[in-house]
Amino acid sequence: MNAVKGTNRLMLDDMRLYLTIFTSIALGLTAIYIAISLLFNVSYSSQLLGPMYGGICAFAVAGLITLYPVAIGLGSTRIQFMKSFYMMGACMVAGTMVILHTIYLIVHLLNTRGGLGVTLFQPGMLYSSQYRIFSYLWIDLMLGFLVLGLSVFLTVCWIRLGMRNFLILLFGLGLVMSLVTVFTDLIELLGWITKVDMLLLFTVLGLIGGALLLSTYPMMKHAPLVRKSSKG
C-alpha cells in the first residue's frame, strides 16, 4: 500500500469511527425522545444538532491533530495529507447530513401519520415552516461546511501559532466583535436578516466555511510535526 492509499485509508477509518459514535448518540437520543412522547403522551420539541454537528467538529479538531503526524510518519506529504483531509471532511459532512435527515424524515412521517408528538428542530425551519426535504438538507449541508471550515481553521491556527498566540488572536477577534456589536444597530441588522432570503444566507455561510477550509492549505504546507506550543 503506497503513501496516498495509506493516508486515505487512515482518514477513512477515522471518519467512520467518528460518524459511528455520533450517529449512535443521535439514534439513542431519538429513541429516548420517541419513548417519552409515547409513554407520557406529551408533545414537545427537541433537537439532534448537538451530537451530529459535534461529530463534524470532533473529526475536524481531533482528527487533524492526531492524524497529521501519523500520516507524515507513514510517508505522506503535507499537501497529500491536506487533500485527503479535505476529501474525508466533505464525506463526513455529507454522511452526517444524510443520516441526520433520514432520522428527520422518519420522525416527520411518524408525526404526520402516526400521531407522534415529538418535533425535531431543523435550521431549515427558519426558511420555511413547511417540511421541504431538499431545502432543509441543503441548509444543513451549508451549516455543516461552516462548522467544518471554522473548526479546521481554528485548529490550524492553534497548530501554527501556539497556545499563547492563539489565545491572543481569539481575544483580539472577540474584542473586534464586541466593538462591532456595540456600534452596530442590532435592530436594523435583525430586520435585514429577517428580510433576506434564508436559503441564500445559509448558502453564503457554507461558502464562508469552504473558504476558511481552503485557507488552511497554504498554512499547513510547511507546518511542523510538533505544535509550536509543545516546543517550549
Side-chain angles (χ1 to χ4, degrees):
M1 183 180 294
N2 58 36
V4 175
K5 291 183 179 180
T7 302
N8 290 336
R9 180 60 182 273
L10 181 68
M11 292 190 182
L12 178 61
D13 291 342
D14 196 63
M15 186 267 290
R16 285 175 176 171
L17 175 63
Y18 283 103
L19 190 59
T20 300
I21 292 173
F22 286 92
T23 298
S24 299
I25 295 174
L27 289 174
L29 287 175
T30 303
I32 293 173
Y33 296 154
I34 294 175
I36 291 175
S37 178
L38 295 177
L39 290 175
F40 298 99
N41 194 26
V42 293
S43 298
Y44 64 97
S45 298
S46 190
Q47 56 84 27
L48 292 176
L49 301 180
M52 298 308 284
Y53 281 87
I56 297 173
C57 183
F59 171 77
V61 177
L64 182 60
I65 292 174
T66 58
L67 295 182
Y68 173 61
V70 175
I72 300 301
L74 292 175
S76 174
T77 65
R78 289 164 174 77
I79 294 177
Q80 178 56 44
F81 171 82
M82 292 309 297
K83 289 179 179 179
S84 298
F85 188 78
Y86 293 155
M87 180 177 65
M88 292 305 163
C91 291
M92 180 70 182
V93 173
T96 296
M97 296 314 160
V98 169
I99 294 171
L100 182 60
H101 280 266
T102 299
I103 298 174
Y104 283 156
L105 180 59
I106 292 173
V107 173
H108 174 73
L109 293 176
L110 291 175
N111 270 320
T112 56
R113 301 179 184 180
L116 185 68
V118 179
T119 301
L120 295 178
F121 172 77
Q122 303 180 55
M125 291 177 177
L126 300 174
Y127 169 67
S128 174
S129 59
Q130 300 293 326
Y131 184 72
R132 300 180 179 180
I133 183 171
F134 293 110
S135 298
Y136 280 25
L137 177 59
W138 176 256
I139 288 173
D140 266 316
L141 278 172
M142 293 299 100
L143 288 178
F145 280 111
L146 178 63
V147 171
L148 177 68
L150 187 60
S151 300
V152 173
F153 179 78
L154 292 177
T155 303
V156 170
C157 286
W158 176 43
I159 292 173
R160 295 309 310 265
L161 297 177
M163 179 61 73
R164 184 186 63 184
N165 294 334
F166 177 68
L167 292 177
I168 293 174
L169 174 64
L170 284 185
F171 175 78
L173 291 176
L175 181 61
V176 171
M177 292 179 64
S178 299
L179 293 175
V180 170
T181 302
V182 170
F183 293 104
T184 300
D185 188 346
L186 294 180
I187 296 179
E188 183 177 347
L189 178 61
L190 291 175
W192 176 80
I193 292 176
T194 57
K195 294 178 182 178
V196 75
D197 185 346
M198 285 294 173
L199 199 61
L200 176 61
L201 177 61
F202 284 112
T203 301
V204 171
L205 291 176
L207 292 176
I208 292 175
L212 288 173
L213 186 65
L214 294 178
S215 70
T216 61
Y217 181 78
M219 297 168 66
M220 289 295 291
K221 284 180 67 175
H222 304 289
L225 291 179
V226 181
R227 293 188 299 277
K228 187 175 180 180
S229 58
S230 301
K231 293 181 176 180

Coordinates of all heavy atoms in Angstrom, one line a residue, residues 8 15 25 28 42 45 72 97 107 113 120 124 145 156 176 195-196 210 215 221 231:
N8 N -5.3 7.9 2.8 CA -6.8 7.9 2.6 C -7.5 6.8 3.5 O -8.5 7.1 4.0 CB -7.1 7.6 1.1 CG -6.7 8.7 0.2 OD1 -6.7 9.9 0.6 ND2 -6.5 8.5 -1.1
M15 N -12.8 8.7 10.0 CA -14.0 9.3 9.7 C -15.2 8.4 10.1 O -16.2 8.8 10.7 CB -14.1 9.7 8.3 CG -15.3 10.5 7.9 SD -16.7 9.5 7.2 CE -16.0 9.0 5.7
I25 N -25.1 8.1 19.2 CA -25.6 9.0 20.2 C -26.9 9.6 19.7 O -27.9 9.7 20.4 CB -24.6 10.2 20.5 CG1 -23.3 9.6 21.1 CG2 -25.2 11.2 21.4 CD1 -22.2 10.6 21.3
G28 N -29.7 7.1 19.8 CA -30.1 6.8 21.2 C -31.0 8.0 21.7 O -32.0 7.7 22.3
V42 N -47.1 13.1 25.5 CA -46.8 14.5 25.5 C -46.3 14.9 24.1 O -45.7 14.1 23.4 CB -45.8 14.9 26.6 CG1 -46.4 14.7 28.0 CG2 -44.5 14.1 26.5
S45 N -40.8 19.8 21.6 CA -39.8 20.0 20.6 C -38.4 19.6 21.2 O -38.2 19.9 22.4 CB -39.8 21.4 20.1 OG -41.0 21.7 19.5
I72 N 2.2 11.8 8.2 CA 3.6 12.2 7.7 C 4.6 11.2 8.1 O 5.5 10.9 7.3 CB 4.0 13.6 8.4 CG1 2.9 14.6 8.0 CG2 5.4 14.0 7.9 CD1 2.8 14.9 6.5
M97 N -25.1 14.5 7.3 CA -26.4 15.1 6.9 C -27.4 14.1 6.3 O -28.6 14.2 6.5 CB -26.2 16.3 5.9 CG -25.4 17.4 6.5 SD -26.0 17.9 8.1 CE -24.6 18.7 8.8
V107 N -39.0 10.7 11.7 CA -39.8 11.4 12.8 C -40.9 12.2 12.2 O -42.0 12.2 12.7 CB -38.8 12.3 13.6 CG1 -39.6 13.1 14.6 CG2 -37.8 11.4 14.4
R113 N -48.3 10.8 10.3 CA -49.1 9.6 10.0 C -49.3 8.7 11.3 O -50.3 8.0 11.3 CB -48.5 8.8 8.9 CG -48.4 9.6 7.6 CD -47.8 8.8 6.5 NE -47.6 9.5 5.3 CZ -47.0 9.1 4.2 NH1 -46.6 7.8 4.1 NH2 -46.9 9.8 3.1
L120 N -38.6 17.6 15.9 CA -37.1 17.9 16.0 C -36.8 19.2 15.2 O -37.2 19.4 14.1 CB -36.4 16.7 15.3 CG -36.5 15.4 16.1 CD1 -35.7 14.3 15.3 CD2 -35.9 15.5 17.5
G124 N -33.6 24.5 8.8 CA -34.4 24.8 7.6 C -35.8 25.4 8.0 O -36.4 26.0 7.1
F145 N -20.7 22.5 6.4 CA -19.4 23.0 5.9 C -18.9 24.2 6.7 O -17.7 24.4 6.8 CB -19.5 23.3 4.4 CG -19.5 22.1 3.5 CD1 -20.6 21.7 2.9 CD2 -18.3 21.4 3.4 CE1 -20.5 20.5 2.1 CE2 -18.2 20.3 2.6 CZ -19.4 19.8 1.9
V156 N -5.9 24.8 12.9 CA -4.7 25.0 12.2 C -4.0 26.3 12.8 O -2.8 26.3 12.9 CB -4.9 25.2 10.7 CG1 -3.7 25.7 10.0 CG2 -5.3 23.9 10.1
V176 N -12.9 42.7 18.7 CA -13.4 43.3 17.5 C -14.9 43.1 17.4 O -15.7 44.0 17.1 CB -12.7 42.8 16.3 CG1 -13.4 43.3 15.0 CG2 -11.2 43.3 16.3
K195 N -35.5 39.9 6.4 CA -35.9 40.2 5.0 C -35.1 39.4 4.0 O -35.6 39.2 2.9 CB -35.8 41.7 4.8 CG -36.8 42.5 5.6 CD -36.6 44.0 5.3 CE -37.5 44.9 6.2 NZ -37.3 46.3 6.0
V196 N -33.9 39.0 4.3 CA -33.1 38.4 3.3 C -33.5 36.9 3.0 O -34.2 36.3 3.9 CB -31.6 38.4 3.8 CG1 -31.4 37.3 4.9 CG2 -30.6 38.1 2.6
G210 N -16.3 27.0 3.4 CA -15.4 26.4 2.4 C -14.2 27.3 2.2 O -13.1 26.7 2.1
S215 N -8.4 28.0 3.1 CA -7.4 28.9 3.5 C -6.3 28.2 4.4 O -5.2 28.7 4.6 CB -8.0 30.1 4.3 OG -8.5 29.7 5.6
K221 N 1.1 23.8 4.5 CA 2.1 23.3 3.5 C 3.5 23.0 4.2 O 4.2 22.1 3.8 CB 2.2 24.2 2.3 CG 1.1 24.1 1.4 CD 1.2 25.1 0.2 CE 2.4 24.7 -0.7 NZ 2.5 25.6 -1.9
K231 N 6.9 23.0 21.7 CA 8.4 23.1 21.6 C 9.0 23.9 22.7 O 10.3 23.9 22.8 CB 8.7 23.9 20.3 CG 8.3 23.1 19.0 CD 8.7 23.9 17.8 CE 8.4 23.2 16.5 NZ 8.8 23.9 15.4

